[in-house]
Amino acid sequence: MLFLVRMDVRIPPSVSKEEADALKAAEKAYSQDLQRQGKWAQIYRVVGEYANYSIFDVTDNDELHAMLSSLPLFPYMDIHVTPLAKHPSAIH
């Protein structure tokens, strides 16, 4: 199943720079591991925002939920999920 996911990150000022840097490093390592596995198929930065659009290729809703809720920055994210289906006019 394919999902388009928008993630907006809002780390509050109460989180120290050291803690934020550690969370970001853990987030990067985790997301790159999922990319290597093919689960996190694409990731695109939203220009001018601390946000991204990503394509996930997972078995089901539960797998996606488990992956998203395991993101180190999850407590500081607003996440919007859109299920995708192949368009009948697509040539690929």
Side-chain angles (χ1 to χ4, degrees):
M1 296 180 72
L2 293 176
F3 294 90
L4 174 67
V5 179
R6 178 175 170 127
M7 293 177 252
D8 293 272
V9 182
R10 292 180 178 78
I11 301 173
S14 59
V15 175
S16 71
K17 180 184 179 334
E18 294 78 17
E19 184 181 354
D21 288 346
L23 286 167
K24 291 174 191 177
E27 181 90 7
K28 183 176 183 177
Y30 179 63
S31 71
Q32 288 180 344
D33 182 53
L34 291 174
Q35 290 173 65
R36 286 184 198 94
Q37 293 176 44
K39 299 291 186 177
W40 197 320
Q42 298 287 325
I43 183 169
Y44 302 94
R45 176 180 295 192
V46 178
V47 176
E49 299 180 38
Y50 193 178
N52 73 75
Y53 280 101
S54 294
I55 303 289
F56 286 84
D57 188 355
V58 295
T59 306
D60 56 28
N61 295 337
D62 292 327
E63 182 182 17
L64 180 63
H65 179 76
M67 286 191 311
L68 294 176
S69 62
S70 295
L71 290 165
L73 288 170
F74 179 78
Y76 309 111
M77 289 181 168
D78 290 327
I79 298 175
H80 302 276
V81 176
T82 303
L84 299 175
K86 185 146 182 101
H87 194 284
S89 297
I91 62 171
H92 297 287

